[in-house]
Amino acid sequence: RPNDDSAAVCEQEVVLLTVVGSPKGVRETILTLYRLGFAEVGDWSPPQRAANPKQAISVLIRRSRANGTPPRESER
């Protein structure tokens, strides 16, 4: 079954979440989402300077299978 891995990747739903705001606001939002069990802090990209120099941006990419279940570790 050589194409099992590629088929699993094709069946994944990918959602990109972006947080933009003051550096403090971005950190606080990521920590709040962590406390709510939404995502690990380390799953987010390191904050980067946004187009507005007073703002930061951080991105989270969530993957799940097309049926809504999270992918196995080997599929990430």
Side-chain angles (χ1 to χ4, degrees), residues 1-7:
R1 303 187 317 187
N3 289 330
D4 282 352
D5 288 339
S6 61

Side-chain angles (χ1 to χ4, degrees), residues 11-34:
E11 294 176 12
Q12 289 184 7
E13 179 75 27
V14 178
V15 176
L16 181 74
L17 293 106
T18 306
V19 177
V20 180
S22 71
K24 180 181 177 189
V26 169
R27 281 190 306 274
E28 288 177 356
T29 300
I30 291 170
L31 288 172
T32 298
L33 291 171
Y34 167 73

Side-chain angles (χ1 to χ4, degrees), residues 9 16 22 29 34 38 40 49-50 53 55 71 75:
V9 170
L16 181 74
S22 71
T29 300
Y34 167 73
F38 184 77
E40 295 292 320
R49 182 176 291 157
Q55 293 184 326
E75 294 175 0

